[in-house]
Amino acid sequence: MTARDPGRRPLLNRRLTEFGTTIFAEMSALAVRTGAINLGQGFPDTDGPEEIREAAVRALRDGRGNQYPPGPGVPELRAAIADHQQRRYDLAFDPDTEVLVTAGATEAVAAALLALVEPGDEVIALEPYYDSYAACIGMAGGVRVPVTLRPRDGAYHLDLDELRDAVTDNTRLILLNTPHNPTGTVLTRAELAAIAELAVERDLLVVTDEVYEHLVFDGEHVPIATFPGMRERTVTISSAGKTFSFTGWKVGWVTSTPELVTTVRAAKQFLTYVSAGPFQYAVAEALRLPDSYFDDLRTDLRAKRDLLSAGLTAAGFDVYRPAGTYFVTTDIRPLGESDGFAFCRALPDRCGVVAVPNAVFYDHRDQGAPFVRFAFCKRTDVLTEAATRLKTLAS
Ligand code: PMP
Ligand code: GLN
């Protein structure tokens, strides 16, 4: 066999060429190479609850999930997801027809977009957006229509008029993300009500990524599926990764109508078919942890948000206060910098810390240029050390 002549045609198809390597891989590799503190990729540096880890071990040992689990997910997990939606949000889903377990939220987003979007369909997404959205819209042949969240009064906000203006006759769906990565914005009840009204009025589907649903520090998380007329047009996505601090397990899920779940599954079955068998049993137990678990997680991360935010402020950054998620976005211009990419590439050498340039989450790259994201889902001593190192930038 000979390698194909690279001159003939690029190997990578044109739907993927613009995306390159994900920034998370690039920045985590930079952290490993330089030994810097990794506040780039969002993963906790301590594992989730011991009893949940043990539940996974038990499932493995007992031979539960070691062979292909059922396509929609193991019944125990589907029941736990339905109960969680009922207990938290008073949303009733039939575990047999309205719940689908996926390989993380990443696969759920991919499957939803691949299943629902025809080439040429417009997909509205809140910019800056999580990097897999652009790639999945691209793979589906869709056209992304960014609606930009803008900083004002120390936080990022959605302009509802801009969102309304972005809807055209070609709009297939709105891809929401609340709490929002990377800005930490949590859409308010009033904003969600307005988005819901728009979706109903223009007969749009909504795919909503709510993986940070339990990480809200100010305000509340309200699923858009709870608004009038929305349950039947919303694909809700979440994941165990952030809620239980097991990001490597990749257990996610979709809740929606039977028709929409069947549609998403049509794509999902050919992506992974199934995944994470034993972990599905463990996540079923995790979802039934008492409220105190979720309260403690939030309280712990809120304190970490405050610790890192104070450190960044002391180091001279302008800090946009995140109401939720793992991340705090900063403006580097007060430090005399304007290019987040260059800043992040130099940061390990300058002070031994890794961060992520928000520009990668923008179509309007210029709008994201001076913003940099730091993750605070790390041990307190790590955040304290990072703050000490960052402070050297100010001198
Ligand atoms: N959506 C958002 C907004 C995220 O930040 C992430 C990454 N943590 C994901 C989806 C992916 O979630 P998972 O690891 O469950 O695939
Ligand atoms: N969601 C994580 C982040 O935003 C990264 C997940 C990934 O590496 N794909 O940092």
Side-chain angles (χ1 to χ4, degrees):
M1 274 246 293
T2 55
R4 291 179 62 102
D5 173 9
R8 227 184 322 166
R9 197 180 107 178
L11 288 174
L12 187 62
N13 74 49
R14 77 178 76 116
R15 293 184 299 287
L16 283 167
T17 39
E18 71 174 290
F19 301 113
T21 303
T22 128
I23 193 71
F24 307 119
E26 181 185 339
M27 289 298 159
S28 282
L30 182 64
V32 170
R33 206 161 59 239
T34 59
I37 296 178
N38 189 357
L39 304 186
Q41 191 176 29
F43 62 91
D45 58 0
T46 42
D47 285 348
E50 184 57 29
E51 73 260 40
I52 301 307
R53 203 157 50 167
E54 282 307 314
V57 172
R58 220 170 39 244
L60 248 148
R61 287 223 176 91
D62 294 350
R64 286 178 300 142
N66 291 332
Q67 309 304 330
Y68 296 132
V74 303
E76 288 84 347
L77 177 54
R78 282 185 278 121
I81 293 165
D83 287 351
H84 172 271
Q85 298 305 91
Q86 181 74 60
R87 173 162 66 114
R88 288 273 158 184
Y89 309 121
D90 204 18
L91 280 168
F93 290 99
D94 178 343
D96 290 330
T97 58
E98 298 188 313
V99 178
L100 174 65
V101 176
T102 56
T106 306
E107 188 194 35
V109 168
L113 292 170
L114 289 170
L116 293 168
V117 173
E118 287 286 0
D121 281 349
E122 292 172 4
V123 175
I124 295 176
L126 306 183
E127 182 187 58
Y129 40 66
Y130 184 55
D131 68 344
S132 85
Y133 299 174
C136 289
I137 295 167
M139 285 193 277
V143 177
R144 36 181 210 276
V145 177
V147 171
T148 309
L149 303 182
R150 297 219 165 70
R152 176 169 35 87
D153 304 329
Y156 278 77
H157 301 275
L158 170 65
D159 182 332
L160 286 166
D161 289 330
E162 266 185 56
L163 179 64
R164 267 184 220 105
D165 290 346
V167 178
T168 73
D169 291 344
N170 296 323
T171 307
R172 172 63 162 165
L173 60 89
I174 301 177
L175 176 52
L176 276 188
N177 172 214
T178 184
H180 181 263
N181 179 8
T183 65
T185 298
V186 176
L187 295 175
T188 63
R189 194 175 277 278
E191 286 168 332
L192 288 161
I195 298 169
E197 263 177 45
L198 178 66
V200 170
E201 181 192 314
R202 304 296 298 263
D203 195 19
L204 303 175
L205 296 166
V206 171
V207 175
T208 178
D209 176 346
E210 304 184 357
V211 298
Y212 299 100
E213 62 185 310
H214 288 288
L215 303 184
V216 174
F217 317 121
D218 306 322
E220 57 176 340
H221 172 69
V222 187
I224 194 158
T226 58
F227 288 84
M230 290 311 292
R231 195 195 175 289
E232 57 264 39
R233 63 179 67 248
T234 302
V235 174
T236 303
I237 292 171
S238 194
S239 159
K242 311 297 146 66
T243 300
F244 301 111
S245 304
F246 287 118
T247 59
W249 289 9
K250 297 297 284 190
V251 177
W253 51 86
V254 166
T255 47
S256 193
T257 63
E259 206 182 357
L260 281 164
V261 162
T262 304
T263 305
V264 175
R265 201 172 65 218
K268 184 260 183 300
Q269 66 184 338
F270 297 121
L271 294 174
T272 56
Y273 179 49
V274 292
S275 59
F279 297 122
Q280 291 193 26
Y281 291 97
V283 172
E285 289 192 30
L287 283 165
R288 297 190 190 285
L289 286 169
D291 288 350
S292 59
Y293 165 76
F294 300 89
D295 294 343
D296 292 350
L297 176 77
R298 199 170 45 245
T299 303
D300 178 55
L301 273 162
R302 182 187 287 120
K304 289 175 170 174
R305 170 197 68 174
D306 293 343
L307 175 64
L308 185 62
S309 299
L312 288 162
T313 303
F317 294 81
D318 271 348
V319 173
Y320 296 104
R321 183 183 174 81
T325 75
Y326 276 168
F327 309 111
V328 53
T329 284
T330 59
D331 188 337
I332 58 176
R333 283 173 293 192
L335 294 165
E337 303 272 349
S338 56
D339 178 348
F341 267 110
F343 180 80
C344 287
R345 291 200 171 113
L347 201 56
D349 279 343
R350 288 180 68 188
C351 73
V353 174
V354 162
V356 163
N358 283 23
V360 295
F361 306 123
Y362 283 80
D363 277 323
H364 305 105
R365 291 250 155 152
D366 51 321
Q367 301 229 9
F371 303 112
V372 167
R373 188 194 85 172
F374 293 83
F376 50 80
C377 48
K378 306 293 173 185
R379 294 195 317 268
T380 301
D381 59 307
V382 172
L383 295 174
T384 304
E385 173 61 22
T388 305
R389 294 183 185 191
L390 287 161
K391 190 118 194 256
T392 62
L393 294 173
S395 46

